Amino acid sequence: AYGASTDIETTFSCEPVFNSKEAAEVSERAVQQIEGLTMVHHDADVGSDDFYLYTKEFGGMYAHLGTGNGRPDQYAQHHPKYHVDEEPLKYGAEYYVRFAKEYLGF
């Protein structure tokens, strides 16, 4: 409306994270050992960060641990009113231990 123009320069900084087949299989075995934890498979999403550098080089995967319990007053992560339900964190800790043991063959 005012005849203004601009030049925009964008830079590419992050590629998508791809879960490796090996890590997904190890993860599945680890989850099966934990009573009360269930693996849920999701379709791909657009999330990405510099973690892709690790998975690109060494393999690996993203695993999300739900901490909201579906409460109607639950805010999303990064929201100033977000409050984590600490009960599920014990599953996350056990998952990481079992994943490491499975991966290392213990």
Side-chain angles (χ1 to χ4, degrees):
Y2 295 101
S5 65
T6 186
D7 293 322
I8 298 174
E9 181 180 330
T10 60
T11 58
F12 182 75
S13 62
C14 289
E15 295 180 19
V17 173
F18 290 99
N19 293 342
S20 72
K21 183 178 179 182
E22 178 188 20
E25 290 170 351
V26 171
S27 182
E28 187 123 17
R29 290 194 305 271
V31 168
Q32 290 171 353
Q33 298 173 32
I34 303 171
E35 186 176 338
L37 190 63
T38 304
M39 180 175 271
V40 178
H41 298 273
H42 291 280
D43 292 334
D45 64 27
V46 296
S48 182
D49 63 31
D50 59 359
F51 185 70
Y52 86 91
L53 293 166
Y54 296 107
T55 59
K56 186 176 179 180
E57 184 72 23
F58 305 107
M61 65 174 284
Y62 260 156
H64 299 274
L65 179 66
T67 59
N69 287 337
R71 295 187 339 237
D73 64 336
Q74 183 66 41
Y75 291 88
Q77 292 176 331
H78 308 294
H79 188 283
K81 292 184 179 179
Y82 175 72
H83 178 76
V84 65
D85 179 357
E86 294 180 0
E87 178 65 21
L89 297 181
K90 65 184 180 188
Y91 296 107
E94 185 174 357
Y95 167 78
Y96 282 120
V97 169
R98 292 192 183 265
F99 184 96
K101 290 175 76 174
E102 280 291 318
Y103 181 79
L104 297 171
F106 286 117

XYZ file of all heavy atoms in Angstrom:
848
model
N 0.819 -1.190 0.000
C 0.000 0.000 0.000
C 0.868 1.261 0.000
O 0.446 2.292 -0.484
C -0.938 0.007 1.198
N 2.095 1.208 0.575
C 2.970 2.363 0.663
C 4.145 2.282 -0.312
O 5.051 3.097 -0.245
C 3.496 2.510 2.093
C 2.393 2.819 3.085
C 1.867 1.815 3.884
C 1.875 4.100 3.185
C 0.856 2.083 4.785
C 0.862 4.381 4.084
C 0.344 3.374 4.893
O -0.650 3.649 5.777
N 4.157 1.278 -1.157
C 5.217 1.147 -2.150
C 6.529 0.637 -1.583
O 7.579 0.775 -2.198
N 6.490 0.057 -0.416
C 7.713 -0.465 0.206
C 8.094 -1.804 -0.406
O 7.252 -2.542 -0.925
C 7.508 -0.633 1.709
N 9.355 -2.119 -0.364
C 9.829 -3.423 -0.817
C 10.954 -3.862 0.108
O 11.502 -3.067 0.860
C 10.318 -3.356 -2.266
O 11.444 -2.516 -2.353
N 11.261 -5.121 0.042
C 12.321 -5.657 0.895
C 12.993 -6.832 0.201
O 12.415 -7.450 -0.697
C 11.776 -6.086 2.267
O 12.861 -6.464 3.100
C 10.832 -7.270 2.135
N 14.204 -7.106 0.601
C 14.905 -8.309 0.183
C 15.038 -9.206 1.408
O 15.416 -8.735 2.484
C 16.307 -7.988 -0.350
C 16.262 -7.207 -1.650
O 15.377 -7.509 -2.479
O 17.100 -6.305 -1.824
N 14.724 -10.475 1.242
C 14.809 -11.417 2.352
C 15.823 -12.488 1.993
O 15.758 -13.091 0.927
C 13.440 -12.067 2.637
C 12.427 -10.997 3.046
C 13.572 -13.143 3.708
C 11.021 -11.515 3.209
N 16.758 -12.695 2.887
C 17.744 -13.755 2.705
C 17.502 -14.811 3.767
O 17.447 -14.509 4.955
C 19.158 -13.196 2.859
C 20.231 -14.237 2.660
C 21.637 -13.662 2.820
O 21.819 -12.465 2.517
O 22.517 -14.417 3.253
N 17.327 -16.039 3.340
C 17.126 -17.122 4.287
C 18.312 -18.064 4.230
O 18.971 -18.203 3.199
C 15.840 -17.915 3.981
O 15.935 -18.471 2.673
C 14.618 -17.017 4.068
N 18.585 -18.681 5.343
C 19.651 -19.676 5.398
C 19.053 -20.987 5.882
O 18.144 -21.007 6.704
C 20.790 -19.249 6.342
O 20.257 -19.033 7.641
C 21.452 -17.981 5.845
N 19.556 -22.063 5.369
C 19.107 -23.388 5.766
C 19.962 -23.857 6.923
O 21.183 -23.870 6.826
C 19.230 -24.349 4.581
C 18.743 -25.725 4.890
C 17.394 -25.992 4.969
C 19.647 -26.745 5.125
C 16.937 -27.253 5.261
C 19.210 -28.022 5.415
C 17.846 -28.275 5.484
N 19.330 -24.209 8.046
C 20.142 -24.578 9.199
C 19.871 -25.984 9.729
O 20.734 -26.557 10.370
C 19.938 -23.569 10.326
O 18.594 -23.560 10.745
N 18.701 -26.528 9.519
C 18.388 -27.838 10.089
C 17.741 -28.753 9.060
O 16.855 -28.341 8.323
C 17.433 -27.694 11.266
S 18.174 -26.969 12.716
N 18.194 -29.976 9.060
C 17.573 -31.007 8.244
C 16.625 -31.805 9.143
O 16.722 -31.743 10.370
C 18.642 -31.934 7.670
C 19.578 -31.259 6.692
C 20.637 -32.209 6.137
O 20.450 -33.437 6.210
O 21.645 -31.706 5.634
N 15.764 -32.595 8.555
C 14.880 -33.419 9.387
C 15.658 -34.525 10.098
O 16.693 -34.973 9.625
C 13.882 -34.004 8.393
C 14.512 -33.854 7.059
C 15.485 -32.725 7.139
N 15.142 -34.935 11.235
C 15.710 -36.065 11.974
C 15.037 -37.328 11.458
O 13.819 -37.417 11.426
C 15.458 -35.919 13.488
C 15.889 -37.172 14.233
C 16.163 -34.689 14.035
N 15.842 -38.288 11.039
C 15.323 -39.577 10.601
C 15.714 -40.634 11.631
O 16.898 -40.783 11.944
C 15.868 -39.970 9.228
C 15.331 -39.132 8.110
C 16.074 -38.090 7.596
C 14.073 -39.383 7.597
C 15.575 -37.310 6.565
C 13.556 -38.606 6.572
C 14.313 -37.572 6.059
N 14.729 -41.331 12.161
C 15.009 -42.416 13.096
C 15.637 -43.572 12.330
O 15.108 -43.996 11.304
C 13.726 -42.897 13.769
C 13.124 -41.849 14.681
O 13.790 -40.901 15.081
N 11.866 -42.022 15.013
N 16.749 -44.069 12.839
C 17.365 -45.220 12.183
C 16.589 -46.484 12.537
O 15.996 -46.595 13.613
C 18.834 -45.363 12.595
O 18.941 -45.816 13.927
N 16.600 -47.432 11.625
C 15.888 -48.699 11.843
C 16.445 -49.409 13.068
O 15.702 -49.932 13.885
C 16.010 -49.583 10.601
C 15.259 -50.881 10.708
C 15.351 -51.706 9.450
C 14.603 -53.013 9.643
N 14.687 -53.886 8.491
N 17.776 -49.421 13.209
C 18.398 -50.090 14.357
C 17.944 -49.466 15.669
O 17.567 -50.169 16.596
C 19.922 -50.012 14.251
C 20.608 -50.658 15.449
C 22.115 -50.425 15.482
O 22.596 -49.476 14.828
O 22.795 -51.176 16.175
N 17.959 -48.150 15.753
C 17.546 -47.488 16.994
C 16.075 -47.749 17.299
O 15.700 -47.951 18.451
C 17.816 -45.987 16.908
N 15.233 -47.769 16.271
C 13.812 -48.034 16.479
C 13.593 -49.455 17.000
O 12.752 -49.678 17.874
C 13.044 -47.808 15.182
N 14.357 -50.410 16.487
C 14.232 -51.795 16.958
C 14.707 -51.926 18.398
O 14.079 -52.617 19.207
C 15.007 -52.731 16.034
C 14.376 -52.874 14.664
C 15.254 -53.607 13.657
O 16.439 -53.881 13.952
O 14.752 -53.897 12.552
N 15.808 -51.282 18.731
C 16.316 -51.298 20.109
C 15.290 -50.651 21.030
O 14.998 -51.145 22.123
C 17.679 -50.579 20.204
C 18.104 -50.384 21.648
C 18.741 -51.356 19.433
N 14.716 -49.550 20.593
C 13.715 -48.849 21.377
C 12.504 -49.725 21.651
O 12.008 -49.781 22.776
C 13.284 -47.571 20.649
O 12.354 -46.867 21.415
N 12.050 -50.411 20.635
C 10.888 -51.290 20.796
C 11.165 -52.381 21.830
O 10.331 -52.672 22.686
C 10.508 -51.912 19.453
C 9.237 -52.695 19.507
C 8.196 -52.203 18.523
O 8.540 -51.475 17.589
O 7.029 -52.573 18.709
N 12.346 -52.977 21.775
C 12.696 -54.023 22.765
C 12.769 -53.439 24.167
O 12.327 -54.059 25.135
C 14.021 -54.682 22.398
C 13.947 -55.555 21.145
C 15.153 -56.468 20.984
N 16.438 -55.794 20.994
C 17.052 -55.303 19.919
N 16.472 -55.397 18.726
N 18.230 -54.736 20.018
N 13.314 -52.237 24.288
C 13.416 -51.595 25.606
C 12.031 -51.307 26.172
O 11.764 -51.590 27.348
C 14.238 -50.320 25.507
N 11.152 -50.767 25.361
C 9.799 -50.427 25.821
C 9.048 -51.675 26.255
O 8.322 -51.662 27.252
C 9.026 -49.663 24.722
C 7.547 -49.564 25.062
C 9.619 -48.276 24.542
N 9.215 -52.785 25.552
C 8.515 -54.023 25.888
C 8.895 -54.539 27.279
O 8.150 -55.296 27.886
C 8.789 -55.092 24.835
C 8.129 -54.804 23.513
C 8.570 -55.747 22.404
O 9.482 -56.559 22.566
N 7.923 -55.647 21.259
N 10.027 -54.126 27.800
C 10.496 -54.574 29.113
C 9.963 -53.725 30.263
O 10.195 -54.050 31.423
C 12.023 -54.534 29.160
C 12.699 -55.430 28.165
C 14.184 -55.208 28.152
O 14.803 -54.874 29.156
N 14.797 -55.377 26.994
N 9.262 -52.647 29.967
C 8.854 -51.702 31.001
C 7.343 -51.764 31.190
O 6.577 -51.326 30.330
C 9.289 -50.269 30.635
C 10.797 -50.228 30.411
C 8.866 -49.298 31.736
C 11.301 -48.928 29.835
N 6.933 -52.286 32.324
C 5.508 -52.367 32.639
C 4.954 -50.953 32.801
O 5.521 -50.123 33.502
C 5.294 -53.159 33.927
C 3.838 -53.395 34.242
C 3.640 -54.272 35.466
O 4.566 -55.026 35.827
O 2.547 -54.184 36.049
N 3.861 -50.684 32.116
C 3.227 -49.373 32.213
C 3.632 -48.407 31.115
O 3.092 -47.308 31.028
N 4.585 -48.800 30.274
C 5.015 -47.931 29.175
C 4.573 -48.553 27.860
O 4.720 -49.757 27.649
C 6.536 -47.764 29.189
C 7.116 -46.697 28.257
C 6.616 -45.315 28.648
C 8.637 -46.720 28.309
N 4.026 -47.747 26.992
C 3.528 -48.213 25.702
C 4.158 -47.395 24.595
O 4.217 -46.168 24.694
C 1.993 -48.057 25.628
O 1.399 -48.750 26.711
C 1.451 -48.587 24.319
N 4.612 -48.070 23.552
C 5.159 -47.363 22.402
C 4.012 -46.997 21.470
O 3.162 -47.825 21.159
C 6.171 -48.233 21.660
C 6.769 -47.540 20.447
S 8.052 -48.520 19.657
C 9.472 -47.957 20.564
N 3.995 -45.756 21.057
C 3.001 -45.263 20.115
C 3.752 -44.752 18.903
O 4.653 -43.928 19.025
C 2.158 -44.129 20.739
C 1.162 -43.584 19.735
C 1.462 -44.603 22.003
N 3.404 -45.252 17.739
C 4.047 -44.815 16.504
C 3.261 -43.647 15.926
O 2.037 -43.675 15.879
C 4.109 -45.958 15.488
C 4.908 -47.109 15.963
N 6.274 -47.184 15.787
C 4.570 -48.238 16.641
C 6.731 -48.303 16.321
N 5.712 -48.962 16.845
N 3.973 -42.627 15.503
C 3.343 -41.451 14.913
C 3.818 -41.282 13.480
O 4.930 -41.671 13.131
C 3.709 -40.184 15.700
C 3.107 -40.130 17.051
N 1.805 -39.760 17.264
C 3.619 -40.404 18.277
C 1.542 -39.811 18.558
N 2.624 -40.199 19.184
N 2.986 -40.656 12.694
C 3.420 -40.265 11.352
C 4.502 -39.210 11.486
O 4.648 -38.570 12.532
C 2.242 -39.707 10.550
C 1.215 -40.778 10.221
O 1.587 -41.962 10.155
O 0.039 -40.421 10.040
N 5.228 -39.019 10.439
C 6.282 -38.007 10.434
C 5.696 -36.638 10.737
O 4.551 -36.344 10.417
C 6.984 -37.998 9.083
N 6.486 -35.817 11.397
C 6.080 -34.434 11.617
C 7.193 -33.519 11.123
O 8.215 -33.977 10.634
C 5.713 -34.160 13.080
C 6.878 -34.311 14.042
O 8.044 -34.129 13.626
O 6.638 -34.577 15.217
N 7.005 -32.249 11.264
C 7.956 -31.295 10.696
C 8.997 -30.820 11.706
O 9.782 -29.938 11.406
C 7.228 -30.078 10.086
C 6.379 -30.501 8.920
C 6.389 -29.359 11.136
N 9.019 -31.410 12.882
C 9.987 -30.991 13.893
C 11.413 -31.318 13.492
O 11.679 -32.344 12.877
N 12.316 -30.435 13.824
C 13.720 -30.661 13.507
C 14.573 -29.741 14.365
O 14.115 -28.699 14.815
C 13.991 -30.384 12.036
O 15.345 -30.643 11.744
N 15.772 -30.161 14.607
C 16.759 -29.314 15.256
C 18.138 -29.873 14.920
O 18.258 -30.759 14.082
C 16.527 -29.192 16.761
C 16.644 -30.511 17.508
O 17.424 -31.393 17.097
O 15.966 -30.681 18.526
N 19.163 -29.384 15.568
C 20.504 -29.819 15.191
C 20.825 -31.254 15.613
O 21.891 -31.761 15.325
C 21.569 -28.845 15.689
C 21.569 -28.675 17.189
O 20.732 -29.296 17.881
O 22.397 -27.906 17.683
N 19.893 -31.937 16.259
C 20.067 -33.351 16.580
C 20.235 -34.172 15.297
O 20.810 -35.254 15.320
C 18.877 -33.852 17.397
C 19.011 -35.270 17.881
C 19.931 -35.607 18.863
C 18.211 -36.270 17.362
C 20.053 -36.911 19.312
C 18.327 -37.574 17.799
C 19.249 -37.888 18.772
N 19.734 -33.654 14.187
C 19.880 -34.368 12.915
C 21.343 -34.650 12.596
O 21.663 -35.641 11.942
C 19.220 -33.601 11.764
C 20.101 -32.547 11.118
C 20.907 -32.865 10.032
C 20.142 -31.244 11.611
C 21.725 -31.899 9.446
C 20.954 -30.287 11.036
C 21.747 -30.613 9.954
O 22.558 -29.671 9.386
N 22.237 -33.785 13.065
C 23.666 -33.997 12.808
C 24.146 -35.308 13.417
O 24.965 -36.019 12.836
C 24.490 -32.828 13.339
C 24.277 -31.492 12.629
C 24.877 -30.351 13.432
C 24.871 -31.553 11.232
N 23.642 -35.631 14.602
C 24.027 -36.892 15.257
C 23.430 -38.090 14.525
O 24.121 -39.066 14.254
C 23.572 -36.901 16.715
C 24.222 -35.849 17.550
C 23.519 -34.728 17.979
C 25.559 -35.957 17.928
C 24.113 -33.751 18.746
C 26.169 -34.980 18.695
C 25.442 -33.884 19.096
O 26.031 -32.920 19.854
N 22.128 -38.021 14.239
C 21.492 -39.174 13.610
C 22.005 -39.394 12.193
O 22.058 -40.523 11.722
C 19.959 -39.028 13.593
O 19.586 -37.845 12.879
C 19.401 -38.984 14.996
N 22.375 -38.329 11.524
C 22.933 -38.446 10.176
C 24.283 -39.161 10.213
O 24.599 -39.983 9.352
C 23.085 -37.049 9.579
C 23.513 -37.012 8.141
C 23.531 -35.548 7.667
C 23.971 -35.439 6.238
N 23.979 -34.044 5.780
N 25.071 -38.873 11.230
C 26.417 -39.431 11.344
C 26.428 -40.821 11.994
O 27.142 -41.716 11.570
C 27.302 -38.477 12.147
C 28.747 -38.896 12.256
C 29.528 -38.736 10.961
O 29.123 -37.930 10.093
O 30.545 -39.434 10.810
N 25.639 -40.995 13.060
C 25.741 -42.209 13.877
C 24.467 -43.029 13.960
O 24.471 -44.091 14.570
C 26.157 -41.841 15.308
C 27.425 -41.043 15.374
C 27.394 -39.696 15.680
C 28.651 -41.635 15.111
C 28.565 -38.948 15.742
C 29.826 -40.900 15.175
C 29.783 -39.550 15.484
N 23.357 -42.546 13.426
C 22.080 -43.211 13.638
C 21.500 -42.753 14.968
O 22.144 -42.062 15.740
N 20.294 -43.121 15.221
C 19.629 -42.723 16.459
C 18.171 -42.430 16.190
O 17.651 -42.730 15.119
N 17.525 -41.850 17.182
C 16.097 -41.558 17.013
C 15.612 -40.591 18.064
O 16.236 -40.407 19.103
C 15.280 -42.839 17.079
C 15.321 -43.540 18.419
S 14.216 -44.939 18.504
C 12.647 -44.123 18.687
N 14.503 -39.981 17.746
C 13.757 -39.189 18.711
C 12.760 -40.112 19.399
O 12.101 -40.920 18.754
C 12.947 -38.107 18.006
C 13.541 -36.723 18.023
C 13.197 -35.818 17.042
C 14.402 -36.295 19.020
C 13.708 -34.538 17.023
C 14.920 -35.018 19.014
C 14.567 -34.148 18.029
O 15.070 -32.888 18.027
N 12.634 -39.976 20.689
C 11.589 -40.664 21.438
C 10.940 -39.615 22.339
O 11.631 -38.873 23.027
C 12.174 -41.800 22.274
N 9.639 -39.534 22.287
C 8.907 -38.555 23.091
C 8.246 -39.257 24.263
O 7.677 -40.334 24.109
C 7.839 -37.858 22.247
C 8.397 -37.109 21.084
N 8.841 -35.813 21.189
C 8.605 -37.474 19.802
C 9.288 -35.408 20.010
N 9.166 -36.402 19.156
N 8.304 -38.649 25.425
C 7.667 -39.178 26.622
C 6.521 -38.251 26.986
O 6.742 -37.068 27.267
C 8.678 -39.240 27.775
C 8.151 -39.743 29.113
C 7.750 -41.225 28.998
C 9.202 -39.572 30.196
N 5.311 -38.763 26.950
C 4.146 -37.944 27.293
C 4.116 -37.642 28.781
O 4.289 -38.528 29.610
N 3.928 -36.384 29.120
C 3.883 -35.986 30.531
C 2.651 -35.156 30.853
O 2.603 -34.496 31.872
C 5.139 -35.175 30.915
O 5.211 -34.013 30.087
C 6.387 -36.005 30.797
N 1.636 -35.192 30.013
C 0.461 -34.358 30.228
C -0.728 -35.090 30.803
O -1.604 -34.488 31.389
N -0.777 -36.404 30.649
C -1.886 -37.228 31.122
C -3.237 -36.790 30.580
O -4.266 -37.091 31.154
C -1.928 -37.273 32.658
C -0.824 -38.132 33.218
O -0.308 -38.999 32.536
N -0.441 -37.884 34.446
N -3.244 -36.027 29.493
C -4.491 -35.651 28.847
C -5.385 -34.733 29.647
O -6.577 -34.637 29.373
N -4.850 -34.075 30.644
C -5.676 -33.167 31.447
C -6.138 -31.993 30.580
O -5.377 -31.481 29.762
C -4.881 -32.633 32.641
C -4.489 -33.702 33.629
C -3.852 -33.127 34.888
N -3.308 -31.788 34.715
C -2.035 -31.461 34.948
N -1.172 -32.373 35.331
N -1.625 -30.219 34.804
N -7.362 -31.529 30.796
C -7.853 -30.415 29.980
C -7.130 -29.095 30.260
O -7.113 -28.212 29.410
C -9.336 -30.313 30.355
C -9.468 -31.018 31.652
C -8.363 -32.055 31.700
N -6.514 -28.957 31.432
C -5.818 -27.709 31.772
C -4.327 -27.770 31.435
O -3.569 -26.909 31.827
C -5.988 -27.386 33.259
C -5.352 -28.437 34.164
O -5.180 -29.596 33.725
O -5.021 -28.109 35.314
N -3.914 -28.792 30.696
C -2.498 -28.969 30.369
C -2.091 -28.055 29.226
O -2.712 -28.062 28.174
C -2.213 -30.425 29.987
C -0.768 -30.723 29.708
C 0.111 -30.596 30.940
O -0.271 -31.007 32.014
N 1.260 -30.006 30.781
N -1.062 -27.284 29.448
C -0.523 -26.417 28.404
C 0.629 -27.126 27.705
O 1.294 -27.982 28.288
C -0.023 -25.099 29.010
C -1.139 -24.226 29.511
C -1.620 -24.353 30.808
C -1.710 -23.273 28.682
C -2.648 -23.554 31.267
C -2.739 -22.463 29.136
C -3.208 -22.609 30.434
O -4.225 -21.815 30.877
N 0.892 -26.755 26.474
C 1.974 -27.359 25.696
C 3.330 -26.936 26.248
O 3.452 -25.908 26.920
C 1.858 -26.935 24.234
N 4.337 -27.759 25.953
C 5.700 -27.396 26.346
C 6.025 -26.028 25.764
O 5.508 -25.641 24.722
C 6.698 -28.414 25.832
C 6.568 -29.748 26.502
C 7.505 -30.768 25.890
O 7.847 -30.697 24.724
N 7.910 -31.731 26.680
N 6.898 -25.310 26.428
C 7.342 -23.970 26.052
C 6.300 -22.894 26.349
O 6.566 -21.729 26.115
C 7.800 -23.892 24.587
C 8.806 -24.946 24.224
N 10.065 -24.982 24.769
C 8.728 -25.997 23.394
C 10.724 -26.016 24.282
N 9.932 -26.655 23.448
N 5.122 -23.290 26.824
C 4.125 -22.307 27.241
C 4.469 -21.877 28.670
O 4.888 -22.706 29.482
C 2.724 -22.919 27.199
C 1.631 -21.929 27.416
N 1.306 -21.441 28.660
C 0.793 -21.323 26.542
C 0.311 -20.578 28.555
N -0.015 -20.491 27.278
N 4.322 -20.615 29.015
C 4.694 -20.166 30.360
C 3.905 -20.854 31.479
O 4.379 -20.920 32.615
C 4.420 -18.664 30.354
C 3.806 -18.330 29.056
C 3.877 -19.525 28.158
N 2.726 -21.395 31.178
C 1.927 -22.073 32.209
C 2.096 -23.590 32.185
O 1.402 -24.306 32.902
C 0.447 -21.723 32.033
C 0.144 -20.275 32.330
C -1.341 -20.010 32.224
C -1.652 -18.560 32.540
N -3.091 -18.286 32.428
N 3.023 -24.076 31.378
C 3.256 -25.521 31.301
C 3.731 -26.038 32.653
O 4.583 -25.434 33.307
C 4.300 -25.837 30.238
C 4.678 -27.303 30.173
C 3.797 -28.237 29.657
C 5.905 -27.747 30.645
C 4.131 -29.580 29.593
C 6.252 -29.092 30.586
C 5.359 -29.999 30.057
O 5.701 -31.318 30.006
N 3.176 -27.146 33.075
C 3.594 -27.796 34.318
C 3.730 -29.283 34.022
O 2.757 -29.948 33.679
C 2.567 -27.561 35.422
C 2.924 -28.252 36.701
N 3.906 -27.777 37.542
C 2.459 -29.378 37.257
C 4.018 -28.594 38.569
N 3.143 -29.571 38.421
N 4.933 -29.792 34.172
C 5.168 -31.194 33.864
C 4.612 -32.083 34.972
O 4.733 -31.781 36.151
C 6.681 -31.471 33.653
C 7.470 -31.255 34.927
C 6.909 -32.864 33.112
N 3.964 -33.148 34.574
C 3.541 -34.187 35.504
C 4.757 -35.084 35.707
O 5.200 -35.756 34.783
C 2.372 -34.975 34.908
C 1.882 -36.089 35.819
O 2.481 -36.316 36.902
O 0.903 -36.752 35.452
N 5.313 -35.087 36.890
C 6.577 -35.788 37.132
C 6.430 -37.310 37.217
O 7.416 -38.024 37.100
C 7.228 -35.247 38.407
C 7.660 -33.801 38.252
C 8.308 -33.237 39.506
O 8.423 -33.963 40.513
O 8.692 -32.064 39.455
N 5.244 -37.816 37.380
C 5.036 -39.263 37.493
C 5.605 -40.034 36.295
O 6.295 -41.034 36.476
C 3.543 -39.564 37.679
C 3.193 -41.036 37.768
C 3.763 -41.745 38.993
O 4.096 -41.070 39.979
O 3.878 -42.975 38.951
N 5.376 -39.610 35.063
C 5.908 -40.365 33.917
C 7.431 -40.307 33.780
O 8.007 -41.105 33.042
C 5.254 -39.707 32.697
C 4.072 -38.981 33.224
C 4.442 -38.571 34.612
N 8.099 -39.400 34.470
C 9.546 -39.270 34.309
C 10.292 -40.535 34.717
O 11.347 -40.839 34.170
C 10.070 -38.057 35.080
C 9.547 -36.710 34.607
C 10.156 -35.589 35.438
C 9.799 -36.496 33.130
N 9.735 -41.297 35.654
C 10.385 -42.548 36.048
C 10.437 -43.529 34.874
O 11.383 -44.284 34.731
C 9.686 -43.179 37.251
C 8.274 -43.640 36.993
C 7.605 -44.158 38.256
C 6.182 -44.604 37.969
N 5.472 -44.921 39.208
N 9.414 -43.483 34.011
C 9.416 -44.338 32.824
C 10.492 -43.894 31.837
O 11.147 -44.715 31.206
C 8.049 -44.322 32.134
C 6.951 -44.907 32.976
C 5.995 -44.082 33.556
C 6.865 -46.274 33.198
C 4.980 -44.611 34.338
C 5.866 -46.820 33.972
C 4.919 -45.975 34.540
O 3.927 -46.514 35.310
N 10.656 -42.603 31.722
C 11.693 -42.080 30.831
C 13.079 -42.481 31.292
O 13.923 -42.896 30.488
N 13.324 -42.390 32.592
C 14.627 -42.778 33.128
C 14.887 -44.262 32.903
O 15.967 -44.665 32.467
C 14.702 -42.436 34.613
N 13.876 -45.078 33.181
C 14.040 -46.518 32.972
C 14.216 -46.835 31.489
O 15.012 -47.700 31.117
C 12.853 -47.293 33.529
C 13.044 -48.799 33.438
C 11.950 -49.615 34.103
O 11.038 -49.041 34.708
O 12.031 -50.851 34.012
N 13.504 -46.120 30.637
C 13.629 -46.331 29.199
C 15.068 -46.094 28.740
O 15.632 -46.902 28.005
C 12.666 -45.414 28.434
C 12.954 -45.340 26.963
C 12.563 -46.368 26.114
C 13.652 -44.267 26.435
C 12.846 -46.318 24.756
C 13.935 -44.208 25.069
C 13.533 -45.229 24.252
O 13.825 -45.183 22.917
N 15.670 -44.994 29.179
C 17.040 -44.694 28.743
C 18.025 -45.763 29.217
O 18.929 -46.151 28.479
C 17.476 -43.322 29.230
C 16.905 -42.208 28.400
C 16.094 -41.242 28.964
C 17.165 -42.124 27.034
C 15.566 -40.217 28.193
C 16.645 -41.116 26.261
C 15.843 -40.159 26.843
O 15.319 -39.156 26.080
N 17.847 -46.255 30.428
C 18.727 -47.308 30.945
C 18.551 -48.585 30.119
O 19.521 -49.195 29.672
C 18.459 -47.582 32.435
C 19.178 -48.844 32.908
C 18.868 -46.378 33.272
N 17.318 -48.963 29.890
C 17.063 -50.197 29.133
C 17.479 -50.059 27.675
O 17.972 -51.015 27.075
C 15.603 -50.615 29.262
C 15.279 -51.059 30.689
C 13.935 -51.728 30.752
N 13.601 -52.086 32.106
C 13.825 -53.286 32.652
N 14.419 -54.226 31.948
N 13.480 -53.531 33.890
N 17.290 -48.885 27.097
C 17.739 -48.664 25.725
C 19.250 -48.854 25.645
O 19.753 -49.548 24.759
C 17.352 -47.258 25.237
C 17.712 -47.009 23.800
C 16.775 -47.175 22.804
C 18.991 -46.614 23.435
C 17.099 -46.958 21.471
C 19.329 -46.397 22.110
C 18.378 -46.569 21.122
N 19.983 -48.243 26.566
C 21.446 -48.350 26.565
C 21.878 -49.809 26.729
O 22.781 -50.282 26.025
C 22.045 -47.484 27.670
N 21.229 -50.520 27.651
C 21.588 -51.927 27.863
C 21.292 -52.772 26.627
O 22.096 -53.631 26.259
C 20.864 -52.471 29.096
C 21.396 -51.876 30.392
C 20.592 -52.335 31.593
C 20.954 -53.759 31.945
N 20.302 -54.209 33.191
N 20.158 -52.550 26.000
C 19.815 -53.272 24.769
C 20.813 -52.954 23.664
O 21.276 -53.844 22.960
C 18.395 -52.923 24.304
C 17.306 -53.638 25.014
C 17.274 -55.121 24.689
O 17.447 -55.504 23.506
O 17.064 -55.915 25.628
N 21.114 -51.701 23.518
C 22.023 -51.269 22.449
C 23.419 -51.865 22.645
O 24.083 -52.294 21.696
C 22.103 -49.751 22.395
C 23.001 -49.229 21.301
C 22.536 -49.178 19.991
C 24.292 -48.815 21.573
C 23.351 -48.714 18.961
C 25.117 -48.354 20.549
C 24.642 -48.313 19.256
O 25.453 -47.858 18.247
N 23.875 -51.909 23.916
C 25.217 -52.408 24.216
C 25.267 -53.921 24.413
O 26.328 -54.486 24.590
C 25.762 -51.701 25.460
C 25.932 -50.184 25.303
C 26.275 -49.545 26.648
C 27.010 -49.879 24.277
N 24.087 -54.559 24.403
C 24.040 -56.019 24.517
C 24.197 -56.557 25.919
O 24.642 -57.695 26.097
N 23.797 -55.783 26.922
C 23.867 -56.264 28.310
C 22.604 -56.996 28.696
O 21.529 -56.673 28.356
C 24.061 -55.104 29.291
C 25.459 -54.554 29.243
C 25.676 -53.257 28.840
C 26.552 -55.315 29.614
C 26.946 -52.713 28.796
C 27.818 -54.793 29.585
C 28.028 -53.482 29.178
